[in-house]
Amino acid sequence: MNPTKGSYWTPRRFWVAIILGAMILRGFLFADLSAKHLLARESPGDDAHTFRNWARIMADEGRWLSDFSPNHVGSNPPVAHAPFHQTPLYPYLLAAGARLMGWQLSSSQSIPSIVIMQMILGLALAYPVYRIALLLGGGRLARGCVVAYLLCDVALYYQTVVLREFILMIVNTCVVWALLEYMETRRMRWAVLLGAFLGLSILGKPTLL
């Protein structure tokens, strides 16, 4: 596919085709996971339960600055992994989604709604991926990278599980995007966005930096 002027695959048709294809693929994946009862999978003590419960404290009780330990969060059963440092970015995403969309995070039955949100955000990430590849290698490379990303099994996997690796994939891709845009244009807005994305990356997992 070469969406150049005068060809059938114009940029608009290219984007419509790949986004529709990606939505269909994700729809089949979601239906398959639902049929196999794999979406609402979690158990007390695992990361999915930990992050959902922390987000519940934020969204339902309004404790947006709650500390991450059984004594401070006050969950029942206690939040797992108290000896380990957990960063709040992913629980903030879940809590914000719950407040905006009206999810009930008190049950693992909210996980399908979380997965739908993550699939939508995963689709939106196709544009930063496109821009990164375009700035590094031109249009042909950019289109190939978008298709490869939307079909990537690892990216699809992290869109279907309640793990902070999902938000790290989003934020750190945007770090690279903002950096390359700033290097290309030298515009202050990209420098500001770069700083913001780096800050979010720290809130996601400081050891990444």
Side-chain angles (χ1 to χ4, degrees), residues 14-56:
F14 171 77
W15 279 104
V16 169
I18 62 170
I19 293 300
L20 283 178
M23 290 174 64
I24 292 171
L25 173 62
R26 282 153 178 77
F28 278 119
L29 177 61
F30 185 87
D32 182 61
L33 292 174
S34 297
K36 295 177 180 177
H37 305 288
L38 295 175
L39 280 179
R41 61 191 187 279
E42 68 171 29
S43 60
D46 67 11
D47 285 344
H49 179 269
T50 296
F51 288 125
R52 181 182 58 77
N53 197 40
W54 192 3
R56 177 187 63 79

Short mmCIF file of all heavy atoms in Angstrom, two decimals, residues 14-56:
data_model
loop_
_atom_site.label_atom_id
_atom_site.label_comp_id
_atom_site.label_asym_id
_atom_site.label_seq_id
_atom_site.Cartn_x
_atom_site.Cartn_y
_atom_site.Cartn_z
N PHE A 14 -6.17 5.14 3.76
CA PHE A 14 -5.22 4.30 4.49
C PHE A 14 -5.55 4.26 5.97
O PHE A 14 -5.65 3.18 6.58
CB PHE A 14 -3.80 4.82 4.27
CG PHE A 14 -2.76 4.17 5.14
CD1 PHE A 14 -2.29 2.90 4.84
CD2 PHE A 14 -2.28 4.81 6.27
CE1 PHE A 14 -1.34 2.28 5.64
CE2 PHE A 14 -1.33 4.20 7.09
CZ PHE A 14 -0.86 2.93 6.77
N TRP A 15 -5.75 5.42 6.58
CA TRP A 15 -6.04 5.47 8.01
C TRP A 15 -7.38 4.84 8.33
O TRP A 15 -7.51 4.12 9.33
CB TRP A 15 -5.99 6.91 8.51
CG TRP A 15 -4.59 7.38 8.78
CD1 TRP A 15 -3.84 8.21 8.02
CD2 TRP A 15 -3.79 7.02 9.90
NE1 TRP A 15 -2.60 8.39 8.59
CE2 TRP A 15 -2.54 7.68 9.74
CE3 TRP A 15 -3.98 6.21 11.01
CZ2 TRP A 15 -1.51 7.55 10.66
CZ3 TRP A 15 -2.95 6.07 11.94
CH2 TRP A 15 -1.74 6.74 11.76
N VAL A 16 -8.38 5.10 7.51
CA VAL A 16 -9.69 4.49 7.74
C VAL A 16 -9.59 2.97 7.68
O VAL A 16 -10.13 2.24 8.52
CB VAL A 16 -10.73 5.00 6.73
CG1 VAL A 16 -12.02 4.18 6.79
CG2 VAL A 16 -11.04 6.47 6.99
N ALA A 17 -8.85 2.47 6.69
CA ALA A 17 -8.74 1.02 6.51
C ALA A 17 -8.02 0.37 7.68
O ALA A 17 -8.48 -0.65 8.22
CB ALA A 17 -8.01 0.71 5.20
N ILE A 18 -6.90 0.94 8.10
CA ILE A 18 -6.14 0.28 9.17
C ILE A 18 -6.83 0.41 10.53
O ILE A 18 -6.79 -0.52 11.34
CB ILE A 18 -4.69 0.80 9.25
CG1 ILE A 18 -4.64 2.29 9.58
CG2 ILE A 18 -3.94 0.51 7.97
CD1 ILE A 18 -3.26 2.78 9.90
N ILE A 19 -7.50 1.53 10.76
CA ILE A 19 -8.21 1.68 12.04
C ILE A 19 -9.41 0.74 12.09
O ILE A 19 -9.66 0.08 13.12
CB ILE A 19 -8.63 3.13 12.27
CG1 ILE A 19 -7.40 4.03 12.45
CG2 ILE A 19 -9.54 3.25 13.49
CD1 ILE A 19 -6.52 3.65 13.63
N LEU A 20 -10.16 0.65 10.99
CA LEU A 20 -11.29 -0.28 10.96
C LEU A 20 -10.80 -1.72 11.13
O LEU A 20 -11.40 -2.51 11.86
CB LEU A 20 -12.06 -0.13 9.65
CG LEU A 20 -12.99 1.08 9.55
CD1 LEU A 20 -13.65 1.12 8.17
CD2 LEU A 20 -14.06 1.04 10.64
N GLY A 21 -9.71 -2.05 10.44
CA GLY A 21 -9.16 -3.39 10.58
C GLY A 21 -8.71 -3.68 12.00
O GLY A 21 -8.96 -4.77 12.53
N ALA A 22 -8.06 -2.69 12.62
CA ALA A 22 -7.61 -2.87 14.00
C ALA A 22 -8.78 -3.00 14.95
O ALA A 22 -8.73 -3.79 15.90
CB ALA A 22 -6.72 -1.68 14.40
N MET A 23 -9.85 -2.25 14.72
CA MET A 23 -11.04 -2.34 15.57
C MET A 23 -11.69 -3.72 15.43
O MET A 23 -12.12 -4.31 16.43
CB MET A 23 -12.03 -1.24 15.21
CG MET A 23 -11.57 0.16 15.59
SD MET A 23 -12.69 1.45 14.99
CE MET A 23 -14.17 1.05 15.92
N ILE A 24 -11.77 -4.23 14.22
CA ILE A 24 -12.34 -5.56 14.01
C ILE A 24 -11.51 -6.62 14.70
O ILE A 24 -12.04 -7.52 15.38
CB ILE A 24 -12.47 -5.85 12.49
CG1 ILE A 24 -13.52 -4.93 11.87
CG2 ILE A 24 -12.84 -7.32 12.24
CD1 ILE A 24 -13.56 -4.99 10.35
N LEU A 25 -10.19 -6.53 14.55
CA LEU A 25 -9.30 -7.47 15.21
C LEU A 25 -9.49 -7.44 16.72
O LEU A 25 -9.60 -8.50 17.38
CB LEU A 25 -7.85 -7.16 14.86
CG LEU A 25 -6.77 -7.97 15.59
CD1 LEU A 25 -6.89 -9.45 15.26
CD2 LEU A 25 -5.38 -7.45 15.23
N ARG A 26 -9.55 -6.26 17.29
CA ARG A 26 -9.72 -6.15 18.73
C ARG A 26 -11.10 -6.59 19.18
O ARG A 26 -11.27 -7.13 20.28
CB ARG A 26 -9.44 -4.70 19.16
CG ARG A 26 -7.94 -4.41 19.23
CD ARG A 26 -7.60 -2.95 19.01
NE ARG A 26 -6.15 -2.75 19.14
CZ ARG A 26 -5.26 -3.07 18.21
NH1 ARG A 26 -5.68 -3.61 17.06
NH2 ARG A 26 -3.98 -2.85 18.40
N GLY A 27 -12.11 -6.39 18.32
CA GLY A 27 -13.43 -6.88 18.64
C GLY A 27 -13.47 -8.39 18.73
O GLY A 27 -14.06 -8.97 19.66
N PHE A 28 -12.83 -9.07 17.78
CA PHE A 28 -12.76 -10.53 17.82
C PHE A 28 -11.98 -11.01 19.04
O PHE A 28 -12.36 -11.99 19.70
CB PHE A 28 -12.11 -11.07 16.54
CG PHE A 28 -13.05 -11.18 15.38
CD1 PHE A 28 -12.83 -10.45 14.22
CD2 PHE A 28 -14.17 -12.00 15.44
CE1 PHE A 28 -13.70 -10.54 13.14
CE2 PHE A 28 -15.04 -12.11 14.37
CZ PHE A 28 -14.82 -11.37 13.21
N LEU A 29 -10.88 -10.31 19.35
CA LEU A 29 -10.07 -10.68 20.51
C LEU A 29 -10.87 -10.52 21.80
O LEU A 29 -10.85 -11.41 22.68
CB LEU A 29 -8.80 -9.82 20.56
CG LEU A 29 -7.89 -10.04 21.77
CD1 LEU A 29 -7.37 -11.47 21.81
CD2 LEU A 29 -6.72 -9.05 21.72
N PHE A 30 -11.58 -9.41 21.93
CA PHE A 30 -12.39 -9.16 23.12
C PHE A 30 -13.48 -10.23 23.26
O PHE A 30 -13.71 -10.76 24.37
CB PHE A 30 -13.02 -7.77 23.03
CG PHE A 30 -13.79 -7.37 24.26
CD1 PHE A 30 -13.15 -6.75 25.32
CD2 PHE A 30 -15.16 -7.61 24.36
CE1 PHE A 30 -13.85 -6.38 26.45
CE2 PHE A 30 -15.86 -7.24 25.49
CZ PHE A 30 -15.21 -6.63 26.54
N ALA A 31 -14.15 -10.55 22.16
CA ALA A 31 -15.21 -11.56 22.21
C ALA A 31 -14.64 -12.93 22.59
O ALA A 31 -15.26 -13.67 23.37
CB ALA A 31 -15.91 -11.63 20.86
N ASP A 32 -13.47 -13.26 22.07
CA ASP A 32 -12.86 -14.55 22.38
C ASP A 32 -12.47 -14.64 23.85
O ASP A 32 -12.72 -15.65 24.52
CB ASP A 32 -11.63 -14.76 21.49
CG ASP A 32 -10.98 -16.11 21.71
OD1 ASP A 32 -11.64 -17.14 21.49
OD2 ASP A 32 -9.79 -16.15 22.10
N LEU A 33 -11.87 -13.57 24.37
CA LEU A 33 -11.50 -13.56 25.78
C LEU A 33 -12.72 -13.62 26.68
O LEU A 33 -12.71 -14.27 27.74
CB LEU A 33 -10.66 -12.32 26.09
CG LEU A 33 -9.27 -12.26 25.46
CD1 LEU A 33 -8.63 -10.90 25.73
CD2 LEU A 33 -8.38 -13.37 25.97
N SER A 34 -13.78 -12.93 26.28
CA SER A 34 -15.02 -12.95 27.06
C SER A 34 -15.62 -14.35 27.08
O SER A 34 -16.07 -14.84 28.12
CB SER A 34 -16.02 -11.96 26.50
OG SER A 34 -15.55 -10.63 26.59
N ALA A 35 -15.65 -14.99 25.90
CA ALA A 35 -16.23 -16.33 25.81
C ALA A 35 -15.46 -17.34 26.66
O ALA A 35 -16.05 -18.29 27.19
CB ALA A 35 -16.27 -16.78 24.35
N LYS A 36 -14.17 -17.13 26.79
CA LYS A 36 -13.34 -18.06 27.57
C LYS A 36 -13.19 -17.61 29.02
O LYS A 36 -12.41 -18.21 29.78
CB LYS A 36 -11.95 -18.16 26.93
CG LYS A 36 -11.99 -18.80 25.53
CD LYS A 36 -10.60 -18.82 24.89
CE LYS A 36 -10.65 -19.46 23.51
NZ LYS A 36 -9.33 -19.44 22.84
N HIS A 37 -13.93 -16.55 29.41
CA HIS A 37 -13.91 -16.04 30.78
C HIS A 37 -12.50 -15.67 31.24
O HIS A 37 -12.10 -15.93 32.38
CB HIS A 37 -14.51 -17.08 31.74
CG HIS A 37 -15.89 -17.53 31.36
ND1 HIS A 37 -17.00 -16.73 31.48
CD2 HIS A 37 -16.31 -18.71 30.82
CE1 HIS A 37 -18.07 -17.39 31.06
NE2 HIS A 37 -17.68 -18.59 30.64
N LEU A 38 -11.78 -15.06 30.34
CA LEU A 38 -10.40 -14.68 30.65
C LEU A 38 -10.24 -13.19 30.95
O LEU A 38 -9.17 -12.75 31.36
CB LEU A 38 -9.47 -15.05 29.48
CG LEU A 38 -9.32 -16.55 29.21
CD1 LEU A 38 -8.47 -16.78 27.97
CD2 LEU A 38 -8.72 -17.26 30.41
N LEU A 39 -11.30 -12.38 30.74
CA LEU A 39 -11.15 -10.95 30.94
C LEU A 39 -11.12 -10.58 32.42
O LEU A 39 -10.28 -9.78 32.85
CB LEU A 39 -12.30 -10.20 30.24
CG LEU A 39 -12.14 -10.01 28.73
CD1 LEU A 39 -13.35 -9.29 28.17
CD2 LEU A 39 -10.88 -9.22 28.41
N ALA A 40 -12.04 -11.13 33.19
CA ALA A 40 -12.15 -10.76 34.61
C ALA A 40 -11.28 -11.65 35.47
O ALA A 40 -11.64 -12.01 36.59
CB ALA A 40 -13.60 -10.82 35.07
N ARG A 41 -10.12 -12.00 34.97
CA ARG A 41 -9.25 -12.90 35.71
C ARG A 41 -8.32 -12.12 36.64
O ARG A 41 -7.58 -11.25 36.23
CB ARG A 41 -8.41 -13.74 34.73
CG ARG A 41 -7.50 -12.92 33.82
CD ARG A 41 -6.93 -13.78 32.70
NE ARG A 41 -5.94 -13.10 31.91
CZ ARG A 41 -6.23 -12.26 30.93
NH1 ARG A 41 -7.49 -12.00 30.64
NH2 ARG A 41 -5.27 -11.67 30.23
N GLU A 42 -8.39 -12.42 37.89
CA GLU A 42 -7.48 -11.86 38.88
C GLU A 42 -7.69 -12.64 40.17
O GLU A 42 -8.69 -13.34 40.34
CB GLU A 42 -7.71 -10.37 39.12
CG GLU A 42 -9.01 -10.04 39.79
CD GLU A 42 -9.11 -8.58 40.20
OE1 GLU A 42 -8.51 -7.72 39.54
OE2 GLU A 42 -9.81 -8.31 41.18
N SER A 43 -6.76 -12.52 41.07
CA SER A 43 -6.88 -13.15 42.37
C SER A 43 -6.25 -12.23 43.40
O SER A 43 -5.37 -11.43 43.06
CB SER A 43 -6.17 -14.52 42.39
OG SER A 43 -4.80 -14.37 42.08
N PRO A 44 -6.72 -12.28 44.65
CA PRO A 44 -6.14 -11.41 45.69
C PRO A 44 -4.63 -11.60 45.77
O PRO A 44 -4.13 -12.71 45.88
CB PRO A 44 -6.84 -11.90 46.97
CG PRO A 44 -8.13 -12.46 46.50
CD PRO A 44 -7.82 -13.11 45.16
N GLY A 45 -3.93 -10.48 45.69
CA GLY A 45 -2.48 -10.53 45.78
C GLY A 45 -1.77 -10.31 44.47
O GLY A 45 -0.60 -9.97 44.46
N ASP A 46 -2.47 -10.49 43.32
CA ASP A 46 -1.79 -10.25 42.06
C ASP A 46 -1.86 -8.78 41.68
O ASP A 46 -2.57 -7.98 42.31
CB ASP A 46 -2.32 -11.16 40.94
CG ASP A 46 -3.76 -10.85 40.54
OD1 ASP A 46 -4.29 -9.80 40.97
OD2 ASP A 46 -4.36 -11.65 39.81
N ASP A 47 -1.12 -8.40 40.66
CA ASP A 47 -1.02 -6.98 40.30
C ASP A 47 -2.35 -6.41 39.83
O ASP A 47 -2.66 -5.25 40.11
CB ASP A 47 0.05 -6.79 39.22
CG ASP A 47 1.46 -6.90 39.78
OD1 ASP A 47 1.61 -6.82 41.01
OD2 ASP A 47 2.40 -7.06 38.99
N ALA A 48 -3.13 -7.20 39.08
CA ALA A 48 -4.42 -6.69 38.60
C ALA A 48 -5.32 -6.33 39.77
O ALA A 48 -5.96 -5.26 39.79
CB ALA A 48 -5.08 -7.74 37.70
N HIS A 49 -5.39 -7.20 40.75
CA HIS A 49 -6.20 -6.92 41.94
C HIS A 49 -5.66 -5.72 42.70
O HIS A 49 -6.42 -4.88 43.19
CB HIS A 49 -6.22 -8.16 42.84
CG HIS A 49 -7.01 -7.96 44.10
ND1 HIS A 49 -6.45 -7.51 45.27
CD2 HIS A 49 -8.33 -8.15 44.36
CE1 HIS A 49 -7.38 -7.43 46.20
NE2 HIS A 49 -8.52 -7.82 45.68
N THR A 50 -4.35 -5.64 42.80
CA THR A 50 -3.71 -4.54 43.52
C THR A 50 -4.05 -3.19 42.91
O THR A 50 -4.51 -2.27 43.60
CB THR A 50 -2.18 -4.73 43.52
OG1 THR A 50 -1.86 -5.91 44.25
CG2 THR A 50 -1.49 -3.53 44.17
N PHE A 51 -3.86 -3.05 41.61
CA PHE A 51 -4.09 -1.76 40.96
C PHE A 51 -5.57 -1.40 40.92
O PHE A 51 -5.95 -0.24 41.09
CB PHE A 51 -3.49 -1.76 39.56
CG PHE A 51 -1.99 -1.73 39.55
CD1 PHE A 51 -1.26 -2.69 38.88
CD2 PHE A 51 -1.30 -0.72 40.19
CE1 PHE A 51 0.12 -2.67 38.87
CE2 PHE A 51 0.08 -0.68 40.20
CZ PHE A 51 0.80 -1.66 39.53
N ARG A 52 -6.44 -2.39 40.69
CA ARG A 52 -7.88 -2.10 40.66
C ARG A 52 -8.35 -1.66 42.03
O ARG A 52 -9.15 -0.73 42.16
CB ARG A 52 -8.65 -3.33 40.19
CG ARG A 52 -10.16 -3.10 40.12
CD ARG A 52 -10.91 -4.35 39.68
NE ARG A 52 -10.65 -5.46 40.57
CZ ARG A 52 -11.21 -5.59 41.77
NH1 ARG A 52 -12.04 -4.66 42.24
NH2 ARG A 52 -10.95 -6.66 42.53
N ASN A 53 -7.86 -2.32 43.08
CA ASN A 53 -8.28 -1.96 44.43
C ASN A 53 -7.78 -0.57 44.82
O ASN A 53 -8.50 0.20 45.46
CB ASN A 53 -7.78 -3.00 45.42
CG ASN A 53 -8.51 -2.92 46.75
OD1 ASN A 53 -9.72 -2.73 46.77
ND2 ASN A 53 -7.79 -3.07 47.84
N TRP A 54 -6.56 -0.25 44.44
CA TRP A 54 -6.02 1.10 44.71
C TRP A 54 -6.84 2.15 43.97
O TRP A 54 -7.18 3.20 44.53
CB TRP A 54 -4.56 1.14 44.30
CG TRP A 54 -3.80 2.35 44.77
CD1 TRP A 54 -4.25 3.36 45.57
CD2 TRP A 54 -2.44 2.65 44.47
NE1 TRP A 54 -3.26 4.29 45.78
CE2 TRP A 54 -2.14 3.88 45.12
CE3 TRP A 54 -1.45 2.02 43.73
CZ2 TRP A 54 -0.89 4.47 45.03
CZ3 TRP A 54 -0.20 2.62 43.65
CH2 TRP A 54 0.07 3.83 44.29
N ALA A 55 -7.19 1.87 42.71
CA ALA A 55 -8.02 2.80 41.95
C ALA A 55 -9.40 2.95 42.58
O ALA A 55 -10.00 4.04 42.56
CB ALA A 55 -8.15 2.32 40.50
N ARG A 56 -9.93 1.87 43.14
CA ARG A 56 -11.23 1.95 43.82
C ARG A 56 -11.18 2.91 44.99
O ARG A 56 -12.12 3.70 45.21
CB ARG A 56 -11.65 0.55 44.30
CG ARG A 56 -12.96 0.54 45.08
CD ARG A 56 -13.24 -0.82 45.68
NE ARG A 56 -12.23 -1.19 46.65
CZ ARG A 56 -12.18 -0.74 47.90
NH1 ARG A 56 -13.09 0.13 48.34
NH2 ARG A 56 -11.23 -1.13 48.74
#
